[in-house]
Amino acid sequence: MIALIVVAGFSGPRWTLIITGAFTAWFLIALAVIHIGSGRGWDAVRRAYIATFGWGNWI
């Protein structure tokens, strides 16, 4: 959220929407792959969230 606020402050709503859409698409793709693989219910959502946003722990 903080990164989106910073992007919105410097570049306006266009790039903010593009970045938000990219993260949403990545989350939905990860959720679909995990759901097809082995995850069900909230476990699939949790694993997709970690796949999408969990990489921040390694920066």
Coordinates of all heavy atoms in Angstrom, one line a residue:
M1 N 0.8 -1.2 0.0 CA 0.0 0.0 0.0 C 0.9 1.3 0.0 O 0.5 2.2 -0.7 CB -0.9 0.0 1.2 CG -2.0 -1.0 1.2 SD -3.2 -0.8 -0.2 CE -3.9 0.7 0.1
I2 N 1.9 1.2 0.8 CA 2.8 2.4 0.8 C 3.4 2.7 -0.5 O 3.5 3.8 -1.0 CB 3.9 2.2 1.9 CG1 3.2 2.2 3.3 CG2 4.9 3.3 1.9 CD1 4.1 1.8 4.4
A3 N 3.9 1.6 -1.2 CA 4.5 1.7 -2.5 C 3.5 2.3 -3.5 O 3.8 3.2 -4.3 CB 5.0 0.4 -3.0
L4 N 2.2 1.9 -3.4 CA 1.2 2.4 -4.3 C 0.9 3.9 -4.1 O 0.7 4.7 -5.0 CB -0.1 1.6 -4.2 CG -0.1 0.2 -4.8 CD1 -1.4 -0.5 -4.5 CD2 0.2 0.3 -6.3
I5 N 1.0 4.3 -2.8 CA 0.8 5.7 -2.5 C 1.9 6.5 -3.0 O 1.7 7.6 -3.6 CB 0.6 5.9 -0.9 CG1 -0.7 5.3 -0.5 CG2 0.7 7.3 -0.5 CD1 -0.8 5.1 1.0
V6 N 3.1 6.0 -2.9 CA 4.3 6.7 -3.4 C 4.2 6.9 -5.0 O 4.5 7.9 -5.5 CB 5.6 6.0 -3.0 CG1 6.8 6.6 -3.7 CG2 5.8 6.1 -1.5
V7 N 3.9 5.8 -5.6 CA 3.7 5.8 -7.1 C 2.6 6.8 -7.5 O 2.8 7.5 -8.4 CB 3.4 4.4 -7.6 CG1 3.0 4.4 -9.1 CG2 4.6 3.5 -7.5
A8 N 1.5 6.8 -6.8 CA 0.4 7.7 -7.1 C 0.9 9.2 -6.9 O 0.5 10.0 -7.7 CB -0.8 7.4 -6.2
G9 N 1.7 9.4 -5.9 CA 2.2 10.7 -5.6 C 3.1 11.3 -6.7 O 3.1 12.4 -7.1
F10 N 3.9 10.4 -7.3 CA 4.9 10.8 -8.3 C 4.4 10.7 -9.7 O 4.8 11.5 -10.6 CB 6.2 10.0 -8.2 CG 7.0 10.4 -7.0 CD1 7.2 9.5 -5.9 CD2 7.6 11.6 -7.0 CE1 7.9 9.9 -4.8 CE2 8.4 12.0 -5.9 CZ 8.5 11.1 -4.8
S11 N 3.5 9.7 -10.0 CA 3.2 9.5 -11.4 C 1.7 9.6 -11.7 O 1.3 9.5 -12.9 CB 3.7 8.2 -11.9 OG 3.1 7.1 -11.2
G12 N 0.9 9.7 -10.7 CA -0.6 9.8 -11.0 C -1.3 8.5 -11.0 O -0.7 7.4 -10.8
P13 N -2.6 8.6 -11.3 CA -3.4 7.4 -11.2 C -3.2 6.3 -12.3 O -3.5 5.1 -12.1 CB -4.8 7.9 -11.2 CG -4.7 9.2 -11.9 CD -3.4 9.7 -11.6
R14 N -2.7 6.7 -13.4 CA -2.5 5.8 -14.5 C -1.5 4.6 -14.1 O -1.9 3.5 -14.2 CB -2.0 6.5 -15.7 CG -1.7 5.6 -16.9 CD -1.3 6.4 -18.1 NE -0.8 5.5 -19.1 CZ 0.1 5.7 -20.0 NH1 0.6 6.9 -20.0 NH2 0.4 4.9 -20.9
W15 N -0.3 5.0 -13.7 CA 0.6 4.0 -13.3 C 0.2 3.2 -12.0 O 0.5 2.0 -11.9 CB 2.0 4.6 -13.1 CG 2.7 4.8 -14.4 CD1 2.8 5.9 -15.1 CD2 3.2 3.7 -15.3 NE1 3.4 5.7 -16.3 CE2 3.7 4.4 -16.5 CE3 3.3 2.4 -15.2 CZ2 4.3 3.7 -17.5 CZ3 3.8 1.7 -16.2 CH2 4.3 2.3 -17.4
T16 N -0.5 3.9 -11.2 CA -1.0 3.2 -10.0 C -2.0 2.1 -10.3 O -1.9 1.0 -9.8 CB -1.7 4.2 -9.0 OG1 -0.8 5.3 -8.7 CG2 -2.1 3.6 -7.7
L17 N -2.9 2.4 -11.3 CA -3.8 1.4 -11.7 C -3.1 0.2 -12.5 O -3.5 -0.9 -12.4 CB -4.9 2.0 -12.6 CG -5.9 2.9 -11.9 CD1 -6.8 3.6 -12.9 CD2 -6.7 2.1 -10.9
I18 N -2.1 0.6 -13.3 CA -1.3 -0.5 -14.0 C -0.6 -1.4 -13.0 O -0.7 -2.6 -13.1 CB -0.3 0.2 -14.9 CG1 -1.1 0.8 -16.1 CG2 0.7 -0.9 -15.5 CD1 -0.2 1.7 -17.0
I19 N 0.0 -0.9 -12.0 CA 0.7 -1.7 -11.0 C -0.3 -2.5 -10.2 O 0.0 -3.7 -9.9 CB 1.6 -0.8 -10.1 CG1 2.7 -0.2 -10.9 CG2 2.1 -1.6 -8.9 CD1 3.5 0.9 -10.2
T20 N -1.4 -1.9 -9.8 CA -2.4 -2.6 -9.0 C -3.0 -3.8 -9.8 O -3.1 -4.9 -9.3 CB -3.5 -1.7 -8.6 OG1 -3.0 -0.6 -7.8 CG2 -4.6 -2.4 -7.8
G21 N -3.2 -3.5 -11.1 CA -3.7 -4.6 -12.0 C -2.7 -5.7 -12.2 O -3.1 -6.9 -12.2
A22 N -1.4 -5.4 -12.2 CA -0.4 -6.4 -12.4 C -0.3 -7.3 -11.1 O -0.2 -8.5 -11.2 CB 1.0 -5.7 -12.6
F23 N -0.4 -6.7 -9.9 CA -0.4 -7.5 -8.7 C -1.6 -8.3 -8.6 O -1.6 -9.5 -8.2 CB -0.2 -6.6 -7.5 CG 1.2 -6.3 -7.2 CD1 1.7 -5.0 -7.3 CD2 2.1 -7.2 -6.7 CE1 3.0 -4.7 -7.0 CE2 3.4 -7.0 -6.4 CZ 3.8 -5.7 -6.6
T24 N -2.8 -7.8 -9.0 CA -4.0 -8.5 -9.0 C -4.0 -9.7 -9.9 O -4.4 -10.8 -9.6 CB -5.2 -7.6 -9.3 OG1 -5.3 -6.5 -8.4 CG2 -6.5 -8.4 -9.3
A25 N -3.5 -9.5 -11.1 CA -3.3 -10.6 -12.1 C -2.4 -11.7 -11.6 O -2.7 -12.8 -11.7 CB -2.8 -10.0 -13.4
W26 N -1.3 -11.3 -11.0 CA -0.3 -12.2 -10.5 C -0.9 -13.1 -9.4 O -0.8 -14.3 -9.3 CB 0.9 -11.5 -10.0 CG 2.0 -12.4 -9.4 CD1 2.2 -12.7 -8.1 CD2 2.9 -13.2 -10.1 NE1 3.2 -13.6 -7.9 CE2 3.6 -14.0 -9.2 CE3 3.2 -13.4 -11.5 CZ2 4.6 -14.8 -9.6 CZ3 4.2 -14.2 -11.8 CH2 4.9 -15.0 -10.9
F27 N -1.7 -12.4 -8.5 CA -2.4 -13.1 -7.4 C -3.4 -14.1 -7.9 O -3.4 -15.2 -7.5 CB -3.1 -12.1 -6.4 CG -3.8 -12.8 -5.3 CD1 -3.2 -13.3 -4.2 CD2 -5.2 -12.9 -5.4 CE1 -3.9 -13.9 -3.2 CE2 -5.9 -13.5 -4.4 CZ -5.3 -14.1 -3.3
L28 N -4.2 -13.7 -8.9 CA -5.2 -14.6 -9.5 C -4.6 -15.8 -10.2 O -5.1 -16.9 -10.1 CB -6.1 -13.8 -10.4 CG -7.0 -12.8 -9.7 CD1 -7.8 -12.0 -10.7 CD2 -7.9 -13.5 -8.7
I29 N -3.5 -15.5 -10.9 CA -2.7 -16.6 -11.6 C -2.2 -17.6 -10.5 O -2.3 -18.8 -10.7 CB -1.6 -16.1 -12.5 CG1 -2.3 -15.4 -13.7 CG2 -0.7 -17.2 -13.0 CD1 -1.3 -14.6 -14.5
A30 N -1.5 -17.1 -9.5 CA -1.0 -17.9 -8.4 C -2.1 -18.7 -7.8 O -1.9 -19.9 -7.5 CB -0.2 -17.1 -7.4
L31 N -3.2 -18.1 -7.5 CA -4.4 -18.8 -6.9 C -4.9 -19.9 -7.8 O -5.1 -21.0 -7.3 CB -5.5 -17.8 -6.6 CG -6.7 -18.3 -5.9 CD1 -6.3 -18.9 -4.5 CD2 -7.8 -17.2 -5.7
A32 N -5.0 -19.6 -9.1 CA -5.5 -20.7 -10.0 C -4.5 -21.8 -10.0 O -4.9 -23.0 -10.0 CB -5.7 -20.1 -11.4
V33 N -3.2 -21.6 -10.1 CA -2.2 -22.6 -10.2 C -2.2 -23.5 -8.9 O -2.2 -24.7 -8.9 CB -0.8 -22.0 -10.5 CG1 0.3 -23.1 -10.3 CG2 -0.8 -21.5 -11.9
I34 N -2.3 -22.8 -7.8 CA -2.3 -23.5 -6.5 C -3.5 -24.3 -6.3 O -3.5 -25.4 -5.8 CB -2.0 -22.5 -5.3 CG1 -0.6 -22.0 -5.4 CG2 -2.3 -23.2 -4.0 CD1 -0.4 -20.8 -4.5
H35 N -4.7 -23.7 -6.7 CA -5.9 -24.4 -6.6 C -6.0 -25.7 -7.5 O -6.5 -26.7 -7.1 CB -7.1 -23.5 -7.0 CG -8.4 -24.1 -6.8 ND1 -8.9 -24.4 -5.5 CD2 -9.4 -24.5 -7.6 CE1 -10.1 -24.9 -5.6 NE2 -10.4 -25.0 -6.9
I36 N -5.4 -25.6 -8.7 CA -5.4 -26.7 -9.6 C -4.4 -27.8 -9.1 O -4.7 -29.0 -9.2 CB -4.9 -26.3 -11.0 CG1 -6.1 -25.5 -11.7 CG2 -4.6 -27.5 -11.9 CD1 -5.6 -24.8 -13.0
G37 N -3.3 -27.3 -8.5 CA -2.3 -28.2 -7.9 C -2.8 -29.0 -6.8 O -3.2 -30.2 -6.9
S38 N -2.9 -28.4 -5.6 CA -3.3 -29.2 -4.4 C -4.0 -28.4 -3.4 O -4.5 -29.0 -2.5 CB -2.0 -29.8 -3.8 OG -1.1 -28.8 -3.3
G39 N -3.9 -27.1 -3.5 CA -4.5 -26.3 -2.4 C -6.0 -26.1 -2.6 O -6.6 -26.1 -3.6
R40 N -6.7 -26.1 -1.4 CA -8.1 -25.9 -1.4 C -8.5 -24.9 -0.4 O -7.8 -24.7 0.7 CB -8.8 -27.2 -1.0 CG -8.6 -28.4 -2.0 CD -9.4 -28.1 -3.3 NE -9.3 -29.2 -4.2 CZ -8.5 -29.2 -5.3 NH1 -7.8 -28.1 -5.6 NH2 -8.5 -30.2 -6.1
G41 N -9.5 -24.1 -0.6 CA -10.1 -23.2 0.3 C -9.1 -22.1 0.7 O -8.4 -21.5 -0.1
W42 N -9.1 -21.8 2.0 CA -8.3 -20.7 2.5 C -6.8 -21.0 2.5 O -6.0 -20.1 2.4 CB -8.6 -20.4 4.0 CG -10.0 -19.7 4.1 CD1 -11.1 -20.2 4.5 CD2 -10.2 -18.4 3.6 NE1 -12.1 -19.3 4.4 CE2 -11.6 -18.1 3.8 CE3 -9.5 -17.3 3.0 CZ2 -12.2 -16.9 3.5 CZ3 -10.1 -16.1 2.7 CH2 -11.4 -15.9 3.0
D43 N -6.4 -22.3 2.4 CA -5.0 -22.7 2.3 C -4.5 -22.2 0.9 O -3.4 -21.7 0.8 CB -4.8 -24.2 2.4 CG -3.4 -24.6 2.3 OD1 -2.5 -24.0 3.0 OD2 -3.1 -25.5 1.5
A44 N -5.3 -22.3 -0.1 CA -4.9 -21.9 -1.4 C -4.8 -20.4 -1.5 O -3.8 -19.8 -2.1 CB -5.9 -22.3 -2.5
V45 N -5.7 -19.7 -0.8 CA -5.6 -18.2 -0.8 C -4.4 -17.8 0.0 O -3.6 -16.8 -0.4 CB -6.9 -17.6 -0.1 CG1 -6.7 -16.1 0.1 CG2 -8.1 -17.9 -1.0
R46 N -4.1 -18.4 1.1 CA -2.9 -18.1 1.9 C -1.6 -18.3 1.1 O -0.7 -17.4 1.1 CB -2.9 -18.9 3.2 CG -1.7 -18.6 4.1 CD -1.7 -19.4 5.3 NE -1.5 -20.8 5.0 CZ -0.3 -21.4 4.7 NH1 0.8 -20.7 4.7 NH2 -0.2 -22.7 4.4
R47 N -1.5 -19.4 0.4 CA -0.3 -19.7 -0.4 C -0.2 -18.8 -1.5 O 0.9 -18.4 -1.9 CB -0.4 -21.2 -0.8 CG -0.2 -22.1 0.4 CD -0.4 -23.6 0.0 NE 0.5 -24.0 -1.0 CZ 0.3 -25.1 -1.7 NH1 -0.7 -25.9 -1.5 NH2 1.2 -25.4 -2.7
A48 N -1.3 -18.4 -2.2 CA -1.2 -17.4 -3.3 C -0.8 -16.1 -2.8 O 0.0 -15.3 -3.4 CB -2.6 -17.3 -4.0
Y49 N -1.3 -15.7 -1.6 CA -0.8 -14.4 -1.0 C 0.7 -14.4 -0.7 O 1.3 -13.4 -1.0 CB -1.6 -14.2 0.3 CG -1.2 -12.9 1.0 CD1 -1.8 -11.7 0.6 CD2 -0.3 -12.9 2.0 CE1 -1.5 -10.5 1.2 CE2 0.1 -11.7 2.6 CZ -0.5 -10.5 2.2 OH -0.2 -9.3 2.8
I50 N 1.2 -15.5 -0.2 CA 2.6 -15.6 0.1 C 3.4 -15.6 -1.2 O 4.4 -14.9 -1.3 CB 2.9 -16.9 0.9 CG1 2.3 -16.7 2.3 CG2 4.4 -17.1 0.9 CD1 2.4 -18.0 3.1
A51 N 2.9 -16.2 -2.3 CA 3.6 -16.2 -3.5 C 3.6 -14.8 -4.2 O 4.5 -14.4 -4.8 CB 2.9 -17.2 -4.5
T52 N 2.5 -14.0 -3.9 CA 2.4 -12.7 -4.5 C 3.2 -11.7 -3.7 O 3.9 -10.9 -4.2 CB 1.0 -12.3 -4.6 OG1 0.3 -13.3 -5.4 CG2 0.8 -10.9 -5.3
F53 N 3.0 -11.7 -2.4 CA 3.5 -10.6 -1.5 C 4.6 -11.0 -0.6 O 5.2 -10.2 0.1 CB 2.4 -9.9 -0.7 CG 1.3 -9.4 -1.6 CD1 0.1 -10.0 -1.7 CD2 1.5 -8.2 -2.3 CE1 -0.9 -9.5 -2.5 CE2 0.6 -7.7 -3.2 CZ -0.7 -8.3 -3.2
G54 N 4.9 -12.3 -0.4 CA 5.8 -12.8 0.5 C 7.3 -12.6 0.1 O 8.2 -12.7 0.9
W55 N 7.5 -12.3 -1.1 CA 8.9 -12.0 -1.6 C 9.5 -10.8 -0.9 O 10.7 -10.7 -0.9 CB 8.9 -11.9 -3.1 CG 8.0 -10.8 -3.6 CD1 6.7 -10.9 -4.0 CD2 8.3 -9.4 -3.7 NE1 6.2 -9.7 -4.4 CE2 7.1 -8.8 -4.2 CE3 9.4 -8.6 -3.4 CZ2 7.1 -7.4 -4.4 CZ3 9.3 -7.2 -3.6 CH2 8.2 -6.6 -4.1
G56 N 8.7 -10.0 -0.3 CA 9.2 -8.8 0.4 C 10.2 -9.2 1.6 O 11.0 -8.4 2.0
N57 N 10.0 -10.4 2.1 CA 10.9 -10.8 3.2 C 12.3 -11.0 2.8 O 13.2 -11.0 3.6 CB 10.4 -12.1 3.8 CG 9.0 -12.0 4.4 OD1 8.7 -10.9 4.9 ND2 8.3 -13.0 4.5
W58 N 12.6 -11.2 1.5 CA 13.9 -11.4 1.0 C 14.6 -10.2 0.5 O 15.8 -10.3 0.0 CB 13.9 -12.5 -0.1 CG 13.5 -13.8 0.5 CD1 14.3 -14.6 1.4 CD2 12.3 -14.6 0.3 NE1 13.6 -15.7 1.7 CE2 12.4 -15.7 1.1 CE3 11.2 -14.3 -0.4 CZ2 11.4 -16.7 1.1 CZ3 10.2 -15.3 -0.4 CH2 10.3 -16.4 0.4
I59 N 14.0 -9.1 0.5 CA 14.6 -7.8 0.0 C 15.5 -7.2 1.0 O 15.1 -7.2 2.2 CB 13.5 -6.8 -0.5 CG1 12.8 -7.4 -1.7 CG2 14.1 -5.5 -0.8 CD1 11.8 -6.5 -2.3

